[in-house]
Every structure is written in C-alpha cells, then in structure tokens.
Amino acid sequence: MIEESHARPAQANPVIWVSLLLPTCGAAAYLAYTMGSHSMHGISYLSGQFLVYGAVGAALFYGLLLRKQGGKYYLTVLAALFAAMYAGGSIGVDKQKQQAAIAMTATQEEMQRLTSAIEKANASKDGGMQAHIMETTTSTAPRAQGEYGEMERFMKGFMNSAVSYKNSYLQELQAIGWDRVMDAKRLQADRDMAESKAILARARTIITKFEAETDTLFANGKASIDSLAISDGAKNDMRAGFDKGANNTKNQIMQNWQMEREALQEVENMVKLLADKKKWTVEKDQVMFRKQEDLDKFNTYNGNLEKIGQRQVELQQRQLKKSAAEMQNLKSTLQNK
C-alpha cells in the first residue's frame, strides 16, 4: 500500500519573527510617544488611534512574515504593538501634562504681572496719564515646549497686545494734553476756552477710533492662531475657546468705552461752566468760584466723573478676577486629561 503524504505548512521560526517584532514594537512605541508628546488630547483619546495603527501594522507584519501561520499570530502581533504604543503614548502624554503645567504657570505669572500693574495704576493719586501706561513684555518666548509652548506664546502675546492697545489710547490722549485739560493755570490762560474745546473734540475722536479698533484687536488675535506650530485640530479648539472668551471680554471693553464717553461729557460740562471766567478765579493752583451754586454744579460734575472712574475700576476688577478663575480652571482641566 502506498501511504499518502500530507504537506504541512512551514512553521515560522520564532527566533526570527520575534527578533523582528521587538524593534517593530520599539518603533511603534516611539511613534506613539511622539504623538502623545505633541498632542493636547489624553491617553483615552489617543488609544483609539493606537488601535487603528496597531491593526494596520500587525496586518503588514503578519502578511510579510506570518501569513501561513494562523490568525492567533496576528492577534499576538496586534496585542504587542498596541501595548507598545499605549506605553509610549502614556509617557508622551505625561510629558505633555508637564508642559501644560509649565505653560499655564508662565501664563498665570504674566497675568499676575499685568494685574499688579493695573492695580498700581488704579491706585495712582497724581492723575497723570503716564502713571496709567503699563509696561509690556518685550518677549513672549514660551517656557513650555511643543503645542503647549505655542499655546503659552499665544496667550502671553494676546495679553500684551491688549495692553499695547490700551497704552496707545492713553498715549494719544496724553499727546493732545488730556492730562492737563482741567489744570487751573491752563484754564486761566485759555481765553475763550478754544484750546479746551479742541482737546475735548480730539478726545472724542480718539475714543471713537479706538472703540472701532476693538474688533480689530480680537480679529488679529484670532488670526494669529493660524501661525502657531500646532495641529489643525488644536487650532480649531483654540479658535473655539478664543471665540467663547472673546464675546464676554469684548462686551466688557465696549462697556468701558461707553463710560469713557460719559466721563468725557462730564469734563465737557465742567468746561462749559468755566467758560464764563467772571464766575471763578485761580488761587494756589485751584479754581475758586465766587458763587456757591457754581461750586455746587462743578462738584456735581466732578463727583459724577469720580463715580464713573470707580465703575470702570470695578468692571476691570471683575474681569480680571473672572479671567484668573478661568485660567486656573483651564490649568486643572489640562492637567487632569
């Protein structure tokens, strides 16, 4: 009798394919580490991507070396690749969390610096415009690395651009002599109040100009996100977050411009009262009224002006407090991803 012979599939040499799988897993782990260390997403989100990449990699590895050995080998390779990517990705995400903490801490420090400068300006008693012009940071170079470093650069840059915007407004007011508009000696020398009226007219033009530029400030801020070295997904997230915060902040700024107009009106009321120079004189660098009723009117206008200034300070303080709380919440969210 002739015995039938059955061809058996060749068994893969385990030494060969395991020795090739190890560097493949190493490469997969490095890829996942790179993804994790450059992504703002947590490990749970990235795990889905790792599973897809692992499945593709396992299919290629299986097709090249193990295609005749059975499905269990494919599952083994898939499990090994996914485990390697998960481990590498976890290390990368942990690194990103560290960078997130560095970025948010640096941003909070810059916000605190600006807040202190604002509080110092509000506490100034000399009334000079120069006292309210704040120093901006000459460099917004980030301490953090990767995408969080870019986020830090953006936030610090936008805060300082907002300060520069306010400084430009104050400097233009200073250039027209606004800080001396109610100076007693200047008023006394202003015969028909022509100079005072000119200052008021220029101030109104400046307010209108910078009020209109509020939209430009935010439009430029949002546009600068496009130049950041981050992923498209991260850019979309930042744009959405920027729009959400910008709407409230812009409303606060527009309220402030309205109060600037109200303050201007009170100063104009005082100038109109002082137009009749028979009603007052200057003694020891102070305006002295001859009639009590004129003094009462002047004090009413001046009191209204002080109330407007206090409302502006309170509005500013609320906004700063809210911004600080939002910054802390963002920091906590990023660290807990």
Side-chain angles (χ1 to χ4, degrees), residues 46-323:
L46 292 175
S47 293
Q49 296 184 25
F50 295 160
L51 184 59
V52 173
Y53 293 149
V56 173
L60 291 173
F61 191 93
Y62 179 80
L64 291 172
L65 299 174
L66 301 169
R67 62 181 180 276
K68 296 182 179 180
Q69 307 308 314
K72 65 178 181 179
Y73 286 94
Y74 170 79
L75 295 177
T76 300
V77 174
L78 172 59
L81 289 177
F82 179 76
M85 295 190 78
Y86 190 90
S90 296
I91 296 173
V93 168
D94 286 341
K95 178 183 177 182
Q96 274 295 76
K97 287 183 178 181
Q98 294 175 1
Q99 295 304 314
I102 293 172
M104 296 309 299
T105 298
T107 304
Q108 285 178 313
E109 289 175 359
E110 180 63 11
M111 177 179 285
Q112 184 56 50
R113 183 188 73 81
L114 295 174
T115 299
S116 297
I118 291 171
E119 291 173 346
K120 182 179 179 180
N122 290 338
S124 174
K125 302 297 183 182
D126 60 11
M129 297 305 300
Q130 190 63 42
H132 300 276
I133 294 176
M134 295 181 292
E135 180 182 353
T136 56
T137 299
T138 56
S139 173
T140 56
R143 296 183 200 169
Q145 300 174 351
E147 292 197 341
Y148 284 112
E150 290 295 280
M151 177 189 288
E152 176 193 341
R153 185 199 308 277
F154 168 77
M155 290 189 291
K156 289 162 65 176
F158 184 72
M159 284 191 290
N160 279 276
S161 66
V163 171
S164 296
Y165 162 74
K166 180 65 178 295
N167 284 347
S168 296
Y169 168 65
L170 296 176
Q171 287 164 349
E172 289 201 21
L173 286 180
Q174 186 182 43
I176 65 172
W178 180 257
D179 55 332
R180 297 184 63 251
V181 68
M182 296 307 298
D183 180 80
K185 288 185 176 180
R186 191 204 65 78
L187 288 166
Q188 188 177 40
D190 191 2
R191 289 188 177 183
D192 54 0
M193 291 297 178
E195 183 182 61
S196 299
K197 293 175 183 177
I199 292 174
L200 290 169
R202 290 171 191 156
R204 185 172 287 104
T205 299
I206 291 171
I207 291 174
T208 300
K209 169 189 171 182
F210 280 89
E211 182 180 21
E213 289 181 358
T214 301
D215 287 335
T216 302
L217 171 69
F218 285 91
N220 290 343
K222 185 176 180 179
S224 68
I225 295 175
D226 293 336
S227 64
L228 299 179
I230 58 178
S231 66
D232 290 339
K235 287 180 181 179
N236 290 334
D237 290 343
M238 286 189 67
R239 290 190 194 98
F242 182 85
D243 286 339
K244 182 178 179 181
N247 289 333
N248 179 64
T249 303
K250 192 184 297 185
N251 288 336
Q252 300 277 358
I253 293 176
M254 298 311 288
Q255 288 180 47
N256 185 71
W257 286 125
Q258 178 58 36
M259 285 186 276
E260 287 288 276
R261 292 184 182 280
E262 293 174 12
L264 179 63
Q265 183 59 56
E266 296 300 333
V267 175
E268 187 171 2
N269 290 339
M270 287 189 278
V271 169
K272 287 180 180 179
L273 178 63
L274 295 170
D276 186 352
K277 295 198 173 182
K278 295 178 181 179
K279 295 182 177 181
W280 57 278
T281 186
V282 174
E283 295 180 12
K284 296 181 180 179
D285 295 334
Q286 290 186 332
V287 172
M288 305 296 291
F289 287 94
R290 293 186 171 88
K291 292 183 179 181
Q292 183 64 40
E293 60 180 316
D294 292 326
L295 175 60
D296 291 341
K297 286 182 181 179
F298 186 88
N299 286 339
T300 297
Y301 299 144
N302 192 55
N304 292 340
L305 189 61
E306 290 179 353
K307 289 177 183 178
I308 293 169
Q310 184 58 37
R311 283 164 51 204
Q312 288 180 308
V313 169
E314 291 172 356
L315 177 67
Q316 195 173 60
Q317 289 175 339
R318 288 196 301 270
Q319 184 61 35
L320 289 172
K321 185 176 181 180
K322 182 177 181 181
S323 296

